């Protein structure tokens, strides 16, 4: 049997058993794995920018940007290059090492992709790592982004294959796996995770983690989002998730994908400092930093700085120039 760092054969039962461990045992195990692969007191930070906002053709039940729901959002066309570079420079000055650009598209047209290529090149040009999330990609489009120097592509599985149809009907779970395959094939690092608190069961959370951990290569970055409940979306009324269940899922992600960055993502603005500290203890070592996520607010940067000081945490300053191995 391969060791845990290279396993891609996790069963649902094994993962459910992990999630059901006594809390202290689970956190101890996750923190032990974490220390084998990472400095436990360093957190990688990325800043997000929405480069094209709203009017999206998909029907993701959590999302402020779907044209199908009546949310309070002003749609915006693709931003000019100068605005993007200015935002990236501001993020770099605040200590972010990676700049993530998100577009509310089902998939980019080739013409729009060329505009994003310019943005990737410009942000690379100021010495930051780049990540984009543009929806579904063809293999050719992934190759174009690779040639532009893109470091990461974010495309989340979002939830389990079993629960998926309750949340999104306009594209399939399989579509998502295909996009990830194209991204991986180009040796672009994969950022893929999901959202918790959408009304899914613990078994769904285990099933989503199994899908991620059993990919041919573990995603280099695994964002774990807590649903931001947005008025006007079908999931606005979802019942709040027990915070310990969120922490358990972070811990299981750390154990299953020992060398991946596990990212504390959306929802941090509503988490207590104590809950965030538990997430770091459970092996989260990356987060979004900056006043905004895509369309919603994030935790305040001043509050983040105070929390880091209280916990003795530091921002990771190394950027990762190494491309992911082609798989
Ligand atoms: N349109 C592209 C796509 O869906 O692939 C990229 C942008 S989309 C906003 C990126 C991810 O943000 C989604 O896959 C989802 O996991 C997360 N997300 C969006 N709205 C959210 C919300 N209200 N709460 C938590 N996560 C959310
Ligand atoms: C991810 O997993 N979470 C980020 C990023 N990848 C693109 C987006 C969170 C969006 C939260 C809701 C909003 O601001 O619209
Ligand atoms: Fe569109 Fe992405 Fe929002 Fe889905 S998550 S509605 S694809 S912007």
């Amino acid at each position: 049997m391969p060791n845990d760092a290279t396993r891609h054969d996790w069963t649902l039962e094994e993962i459910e058993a992990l999630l059901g461990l006594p809390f202290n045992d689970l956190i101890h195990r996750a923190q032990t794995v974490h220390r084998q692969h990472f400095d436990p007191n360093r957190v990688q930070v990325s800043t997000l920018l929405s480069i094209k906002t709203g009017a999206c053709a998909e029907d993701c039940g959590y999302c402020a940007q779907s044209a199908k729901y009546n949310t309070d959002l002003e749609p915006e066309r693709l931003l000019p290059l100068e605005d993007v570079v200015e935002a990236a420079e501001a993020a770099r000055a605040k200590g972010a090492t990676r700049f993530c650009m998100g577009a509310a598209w089902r998939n980019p047209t080739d013409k729009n992709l060329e505009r994003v290529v310019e943005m990737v090149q410009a942000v690379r040009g100021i010495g930051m790592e780049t990540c984009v999330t543009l929806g579904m990609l063809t293999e050719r489009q992934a190759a174009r982004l690779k040639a532009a120097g893109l470091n990461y592509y974010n495309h989340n599985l979002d939830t389990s294959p079993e629960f998926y149809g309750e949340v999104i009907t306009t594209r399939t779970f399989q579509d998502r796996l295909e996009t990830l395959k194209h991204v991986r094939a180009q040796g672009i690092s994969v950022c893929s995770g999901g959202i918790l608190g959408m009304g899914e069961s613990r078994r769904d959370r285990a099933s989503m983690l199994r899908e991620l951990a059993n990919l041919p290569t573990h995603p280099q970055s695994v964002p774990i989002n807590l649903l931001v409940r947005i008025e006007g979306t079908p999931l606005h009324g979802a019942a709040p998730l027990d915070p310990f269940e969120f922490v358990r899922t972070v811990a299981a992600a750390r154990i299953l994908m020992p060398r991946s960055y596990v990212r504390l993502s959306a929802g941090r603005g509503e988490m207590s400092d104590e809950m965030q500290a538990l997430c770091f203890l459970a092996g989260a070592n990356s987060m979004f930093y900056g006043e905004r996520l895509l369309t919603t607010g994030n935790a305040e940067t001043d509050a983040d700085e105070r929390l880091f000081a209280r916990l003795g945490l530091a921002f990771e300053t190394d950027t990762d120039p190494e491309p992911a191995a082609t798989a």
Side-chain angles (χ1 to χ4, degrees):
M1 156 121 14
N3 72 30
D4 281 0
T6 54
R7 276 192 65 184
H8 299 268
D9 60 353
W10 290 91
T11 66
L12 194 58
E13 291 67 31
E14 282 177 302
I15 301 174
E16 282 189 291
L18 272 182
L19 287 172
L21 281 173
F23 189 76
N24 290 345
D25 292 343
L26 175 60
I27 303 302
H28 177 69
R29 192 160 156 193
Q31 177 65 203
T32 305
V33 169
H34 190 42
R35 283 168 184 264
Q36 285 162 5
H37 301 286
F38 290 101
D39 177 339
N41 300 311
R42 288 206 176 261
V43 177
Q44 188 276 333
V45 296
S46 304
T47 294
L48 275 167
L49 177 70
S50 181
I51 57 169
K52 186 267 170 184
T53 307
C56 182
E58 304 276 0
D59 70 350
C60 311
Y62 47 77
C63 188
Q65 306 201 66
S66 167
K68 307 225 181 325
Y69 313 130
N70 206 352
T71 62
D72 251 351
L73 185 78
E74 253 334 290
E76 270 180 37
R77 300 164 75 92
L78 190 56
L79 291 181
L81 180 63
E82 308 77 69
D83 292 15
V84 174
V85 174
E86 197 180 307
E89 278 169 345
R92 187 186 55 174
K94 279 267 199 180
T97 52
R98 190 178 309 156
F99 195 62
C100 305
M101 296 165 268
W105 288 322
R106 174 174 164 79
N107 54 267
T109 60
D110 287 344
K111 194 165 153 230
N112 280 335
L113 193 75
E114 286 311 306
R115 302 227 0 234
V116 175
V117 158
E118 286 176 14
M119 294 173 187
V120 168
Q121 287 166 336
V123 176
R124 289 291 285 154
I126 65 164
M128 291 184 91
E129 288 184 328
T130 48
C131 175
V132 295
T133 178
L134 314 171
M136 294 186 283
L137 284 189
T138 62
E139 190 158 3
R140 201 171 41 78
Q141 290 179 320
R144 183 73 188 105
L145 287 169
K146 175 68 185 175
L150 180 72
N151 303 97
Y152 285 79
Y153 194 81
N154 166 249
H155 198 64
N156 291 338
L157 294 183
D158 272 355
T159 190
S160 68
E162 298 78 19
F163 192 67
Y164 185 90
E166 305 285 318
V167 182
I168 301 140
T169 68
T170 48
R171 68 177 162 202
T172 65
F173 196 84
Q174 192 55 40
D175 289 334
R176 292 185 184 248
L177 293 175
E178 283 295 307
T179 293
L180 293 183
K181 190 167 94 188
H182 299 327
V183 171
R184 246 188 347 259
Q186 294 303 321
I188 298 170
S189 293
V190 168
C191 173
S192 189
I195 309 178
L196 311 185
M198 299 195 293
E200 77 287 344
S201 63
R202 180 182 273 180
R203 174 168 278 231
D204 287 314
R205 291 187 279 279
S207 174
M208 176 184 86
L209 289 174
R210 179 180 59 169
E211 292 291 328
L212 291 166
N214 290 349
L215 287 169
T217 316
H218 293 159
Q220 284 75 15
S221 162
V222 181
I224 308 288
N225 295 276
L226 178 62
L227 176 69
V228 179
R229 285 171 287 174
I230 293 170
E231 234 178 291
T233 62
L235 287 174
H236 177 230
L241 182 71
D242 174 1
F244 294 129
E245 197 58 31
F246 186 92
V247 179
R248 283 177 179 277
T249 311
V250 168
R254 165 53 63 227
I255 294 165
L256 299 176
M257 295 168 277
R259 295 198 170 95
S260 304
Y261 280 80
V262 175
R263 178 185 311 275
L264 200 46
S265 303
R268 225 162 44 74
E270 284 161 37
M271 292 178 196
S272 66
D273 283 355
E274 293 81 357
M275 178 174 171
Q276 294 187 59
L278 277 178
C279 289
F280 294 130
L281 191 63
N285 60 345
S286 168
M287 68 180 202
F288 289 119
Y289 178 69
E291 309 288 344
R292 285 190 82 66
L293 294 166
L294 290 175
T295 68
T296 64
N298 193 13
E300 301 284 330
T301 52
D302 290 357
D304 285 343
E305 276 156 30
R306 282 196 300 277
L307 178 62
F308 271 47
R310 285 164 76 204
L311 299 178
L313 291 175
F315 284 180
E316 188 172 276
T317 46
D318 292 348
T319 53
D320 161 29
E322 291 297 317
T326 310

